[in-house]
Amino acid sequence: MNSFVAVFKRELKSYFTTPIAYVFLVVFLFFSGYLTFKDGFFEMRQADMGVFFMNIPLLFVFLVPATSMRLWAEERRIGSIELLLTLPITVTQAVLGKFFSAWLFLVIALALTFPMVITVCFLGDPDVSLIITGYLGSVLLAGGFLSIGCFFSIVSKNQVISFVLSVVTCAVLVFAGMPTTLNYLSAFLPAGLVSAIGNFSFQVHFESIQKGMLEFKDISYFILMIVGWIVAGTYILDERKAY
Amino acid sequence: MSKTIQMVIGVILVLVIMFSSISVCQDIGKSLKLDVTEQRLYTLSDGTRAILAKLRQPVAVKLYYAETAALKGPDQIRFFNNYYQYVKSLLEEYVSSANGMIDFQVIDPRPYSESEAKALQYGLSKFSITEEESFFFGLVVQTQFGVEKVIPFFSPDRQSFLEYDISYLIDTAITRQKTKIGIMSSLPVMGDDLSGYMAQMMRMQGQQPEPSWTIVNQLKKQYEIKAVSTEVDEIEDVDILLVIHPKELPEKTLFAIDQFVLKGGRTIVCVDPHCYADPPDQKAAMLSGAAPAQNSDLNRLFKTWGVEMPANTFAGDRSLALKATLMPNQRPEKLIGFLDLTSQCFNPDSVITAELNQVRLLFAGVLQETGDYQKEEGVGNIERRTLLSTTNKGNSWSVSSSYELLVPDPSQLMKKFVDGNNPVVMGSLITGKFKSSFPDGILIDAVKGESPEETEKPEVEKKNITGLTEATEECVVAIFTDVDFISDLVAYQDTFLGKIVIGDNSTLLLNTIDDLRGSSELISIRSRGSYKRPFTVVDAIEQKAERETSAEEDKINAEIAGFQDELNSIISSAKEGEEEIIGSSILQKKKDIELKIHKAQRELRRVKMKRREQIESLGNVLRNLNMLMTPGIILIIAIVLGIRRSARKRHYISHASDS
């Protein structure tokens, strides 16, 4: 446990000693505000954060891989991975430490969008439980994307390749739920498989939580996604540490 | 096997396990869900549960949604996909609450398929997306007795009444339709119900048979209508009783209505403290010397239902008052008794009023609650839902006697009105287990003896008849404190093509009848809670500015009126031969007035612009706050930290080089 905490702390601290965290925060916070107002939040006169959360998957598709790409690729590039893995910690502890520190960083980023909550509460009388589930969905979505980013960061030594692969995978899993994608797939795949692909989409489950229904199928989707990708990543790292 | 291949296989295995577990979890955990929305948007109401508990035979519920076609349509149709998901999850709630009595199917009708033909046969709405594909989104409920009920299309506009609509379909499919309406009125609403021959006879004698009210004709198209006399011992063979303008009904009729309500008969009562559709009989008034009575009430029964309509008291609202002329040669003026109710005056949670936009009432009364109706003796557990009310600025106003309304002067009446701060109720739906207004029964005259013909002067004695003292079933009564709103005077307009409907006056009555036709469980279902959460701050800014504008407007109008009065007085005081001098002074005055009006109008525009600017600037402030504030602060922190760090680095390097 101590080793996990050590990795966790070291990783979190490293975010704020490099400019990447600040760049990420500034870009994320600016665009989350910009897109919300651009999509007519004020004109719709509806005191909820639906418009704000609607843009979260789109922002995260690019920004989460940007935070996760350096998690392992950087260690491999500069060779510090060897040092890290010779320390008295297991691979799982190292992976989880890094993952949770990155996740906490994303939660901090989401927490910094608090002016939006204040705005909505100032303008009207929002359904607070919907705001809470919206944030819960966003945190889970961040975790899901992060686990994918973490996996590709382990797979590739090159940060750019890791970034691109993560973005593509996340985007595919978001857009799988869009009608246009399913339509394209239905041209050459059987209907059952198309609907199964729809079920694998981040978008469908994110929206379901966001509308105010806490369902086992949605929560389990995110947990299984996170666990699955992390297990796969840990497995690769464990096999590869000798190289 | 090389290590890499082994690794790839391992990873693939992990991912396959992951996706399979996700698939499994999608199915097994269906019932594990928690509705955390404030208005419990996904939780069925007690009314629906009661309806589902009544199901004795399995009912087939078929949801038609052209999912495949929707995928090929434009992305906008995605909106329907979300709504479809909501409808489906709500219907799944129905299935899980119905103890296996609902056979639920989701059907995706493909072009030229059997299911598409069936969908069209049921009468579902079809929208073409492409040349081949069509969009369907409707519901069919079928019972084993061959009853078939359909929602042709799920319009997103009715999202808040989704549960009501689905439950209505199931409820009406399993219960007998109530369609016989009895109309009891002191007015000739049914007209002279004459045969063709009799009508012709009347015309030959130079008399015109009285036509029935247009609303009655409209009702006849949908329901079986039966006239119920105002002197009746018992109301039978009627599902819904419509009481219009009950003037001084005899006690036995009141007792009959009371008993009808207690037996679960649905009743709609329209009373009026001053009914324009009830023209005074001038001759009779002259003979008796009393003011002709144009009012009606049912307060004897109302009190038991927990409400009351005071005499000579009317609902008023400055913002709703319409301009009208009641007497010939009068200029149209705002008449405080003539209210044009707008959407804010209708209960958005009642299926009767939620979709109304405009209802006009003429001298409507005030429906007051009487004391603590729940605890009061003689009153059962009653629930009242407001249907119609004024805005928050409404108030009641009254006249000392009906004489004052014989020749009404709008400006005099307006003086009687003071702005209030609470809405005044003019229509209510009252439900509950009522008690009788006649717990001891009533005394009626009864002829003594078996065959009265035998004696010359039949002996009359008082006989006590009793009935139910308490309701056996859930009672439902709708009360409106205006009669004119369904009369031809207000609800319809004569045109070359016949009568046309004005506003939603007739819709209000039709909706009420439609709602009362259903079971009491159905009536208890409210709207599913609105998704609407308005920006109260912005609305307040708008309202404040509107108030300012209206004050400004009133001031300007008063100014203009003042100048015109001045002008008139100059003309009337002028003597002949002085026209020229007067003419020039009038011209000058006119110019002055026009200038003043111009100036005032400019001021008005300025106020309106200020209002818009105020809202826009609020929007801009909030946008900048959300877009720039936190990123700005973080940027500053980052820069400060960066500078500090590089300074420290430099210090360290110089320190290191020194040593």
Side-chain angles (χ1 to χ4, degrees), chain B residues 283-298:
Chain B
K283 268 190 217 160
M286 291 241 285
L287 284 173
S288 67
Q294 284 174 261
N295 62 307
S296 61
D297 73 66
L298 216 56

Side-chain angles (χ1 to χ4, degrees), chain B residues 112-301:
Chain B
Y112 313 117
S113 66
E114 187 68 22
S115 55
E116 190 193 37
K118 276 266 183 204
L120 289 172
Q121 195 187 322
Y122 290 135
L124 299 184
S125 302
K126 175 182 168 180
F127 301 93
S128 297
I129 295 178
T130 61
E131 264 179 42
E132 284 212 327
E133 297 283 356
S134 308
F135 185 62
F136 290 91
F137 188 16
L139 189 75
V140 179
V141 171
Q142 284 170 313
T143 67
Q144 288 187 329
F145 301 106
V147 182
E148 207 173 84
K149 296 278 166 182
V150 176
I151 294 177
F153 184 68
F154 282 109
S155 166
D157 301 343
R158 272 188 81 82
Q159 192 157 344
S160 55
F161 288 108
L162 180 64
E163 188 192 357
Y164 180 89
D165 288 345
I166 296 171
S167 299
Y168 181 89
L169 223 60
I170 296 173
D171 185 59
T172 47
I174 59 169
T175 48
R176 191 175 65 92
Q177 292 265 329
K178 299 185 171 172
T179 44
K180 205 176 243 183
I181 300 177
I183 299 184
M184 176 190 285
S185 180
S186 304
L187 294 173
V189 291
M190 304 287 281
D192 291 324
D193 211 1
L194 299 172
S195 63
Y197 174 73
M198 285 296 286
Q200 205 172 352
M201 286 292 285
M202 267 183 88
R203 277 192 208 101
M204 281 166 71
Q205 288 168 4
Q207 289 173 309
Q208 273 299 327
E210 188 86 32
S212 58
W213 282 19
T214 311
I215 187 82
V216 175
N217 291 335
Q218 211 176 333
L219 289 176
K220 276 181 186 164
K221 285 181 194 160
Q222 287 180 49
Y223 307 104
E224 198 183 327
I225 302 291
K226 182 184 165 190
V228 179
S229 160
T230 48
E231 293 198 15
V232 69
D233 297 324
E234 201 179 344
I235 299 163
E236 286 176 309
D237 196 22
V238 162
D239 298 307
I240 296 177
L241 177 68
L242 179 57
V243 183
I244 303 171
H245 204 45
K247 281 173 87 173
E248 291 161 7
L249 294 184
E251 196 178 40
K252 65 171 185 177
T253 310
L254 293 177
F255 182 66
I257 298 173
D258 176 76
Q259 292 298 310
F260 177 76
V261 171
L262 294 188
K263 282 176 196 158
R266 304 292 154 79
T267 311
I268 301 168
V269 182
C270 298
V271 284
D272 203 328
H274 186 79
C275 178
Y276 259 78
D278 180 15
D281 187 347
Q282 300 287 359
K283 268 190 217 160
M286 291 241 285
L287 284 173
S288 67
Q294 284 174 261
N295 62 307
S296 61
D297 73 66
L298 216 56
N299 280 338
R300 176 84 193 263
L301 299 180

Side-chain angles (χ1 to χ4, degrees), chain A residues 140-141 202 205-206 209 218-226:
Chain A
L140 288 173
L141 186 76
F202 273 113
H205 299 281
F206 176 69
I209 292 182
D218 300 323
I219 309 277
S220 66
Y221 169 84
F222 283 107
I223 293 173
L224 286 169
M225 266 286 179
I226 293 170

Side-chain angles (χ1 to χ4, degrees), chain B residues 208-489:
Chain B
Q208 273 299 327
E210 188 86 32
S212 58
W213 282 19
T214 311
I215 187 82
V216 175
N217 291 335
Q218 211 176 333
L219 289 176
K220 276 181 186 164
K221 285 181 194 160
Q222 287 180 49
Y223 307 104
E224 198 183 327
I225 302 291
K226 182 184 165 190
V228 179
S229 160
T230 48
E231 293 198 15
V232 69
D233 297 324
E234 201 179 344
I235 299 163
E236 286 176 309
D237 196 22
V238 162
D239 298 307
I240 296 177
L241 177 68
L242 179 57
V243 183
I244 303 171
H245 204 45
K247 281 173 87 173
E248 291 161 7
L249 294 184
E251 196 178 40
K252 65 171 185 177
T253 310
L254 293 177
F255 182 66
I257 298 173
D258 176 76
Q259 292 298 310
F260 177 76
V261 171
L262 294 188
K263 282 176 196 158
R266 304 292 154 79
T267 311
I268 301 168
V269 182
C270 298
V271 284
D272 203 328
H274 186 79
C275 178
Y276 259 78
D278 180 15
D281 187 347
Q282 300 287 359
K283 268 190 217 160
M286 291 241 285
L287 284 173
S288 67
Q294 284 174 261
N295 62 307
S296 61
D297 73 66
L298 216 56
N299 280 338
R300 176 84 193 263
L301 299 180
F302 280 9
K303 274 179 191 150
T304 338
W305 303 339
V307 287
E308 183 185 30
M309 186 186 75
N312 291 329
T313 307
F314 304 91
D317 192 319
R318 212 180 290 276
S319 63
L320 302 174
L322 270 176
K323 279 187 178 175
T325 46
L326 288 173
M327 292 289 140
N329 308 326
Q330 228 177 30
R331 259 190 306 129
E333 251 183 281
K334 266 198 170 184
L335 181 63
I336 192 64
F338 195 5
L339 301 181
D340 190 19
L341 305 193
T342 51
S343 49
Q344 52 182 334
C345 307
F346 308 118
N347 182 351
D349 294 332
S350 168
V351 73
I352 297 175
T353 46
E355 284 174 7
L356 299 180
N357 291 312
Q358 184 195 41
V359 168
R360 289 184 175 183
L361 304 178
L362 193 50
F363 289 104
V366 177
L367 205 58
Q368 289 174 344
E369 296 181 6
T370 51
D372 192 351
Y373 61 95
Q374 296 228 3
K375 288 176 191 158
E376 209 173 287
E377 197 64 37
V379 180
N381 196 8
I382 290 172
E383 194 195 351
R384 283 158 304 177
R385 266 187 265 168
T386 298
L387 296 175
L388 306 179
S389 66
T390 63
T391 66
N392 284 332
K393 293 257 158 193
N395 202 351
S396 60
W397 57 277
S398 48
V399 292
S400 52
S401 81
S402 49
Y403 269 121
E404 283 188 56
L405 294 173
L406 270 183
V407 190
D409 177 357
S411 56
Q412 285 297 320
L413 294 182
M414 192 57 102
K415 278 181 194 160
K416 290 176 181 291
F417 178 78
V418 202
D419 282 334
N421 14 339
N422 280 314
V424 177
V425 179
M426 296 168 287
S428 263
L429 184 72
I430 306 175
T431 53
K433 289 254 166 82
F434 298 171
K435 291 197 172 154
S436 173
S437 306
F438 305 92
D440 304 322
I442 54 162
L443 290 172
I444 54 160
D445 292 337
V447 179
K448 205 177 182 184
E450 298 251 313
S451 45
E453 295 87 15
E454 285 175 12
T455 46
E456 277 192 5
K457 202 176 172 190
E459 258 185 81
V460 174
E461 65 162 11
K462 294 282 182 194
K463 190 180 151 198
N464 189 338
I465 55 164
T466 54
L468 293 173
T469 54
E470 215 171 301
T472 49
E473 285 185 55
E474 190 81 357
C475 311
V476 182
V477 178
I479 299 176
F480 297 106
T481 58
D482 190 37
V483 169
D484 299 300
F485 87 99
I486 45 166
S487 73
D488 288 28
L489 216 64

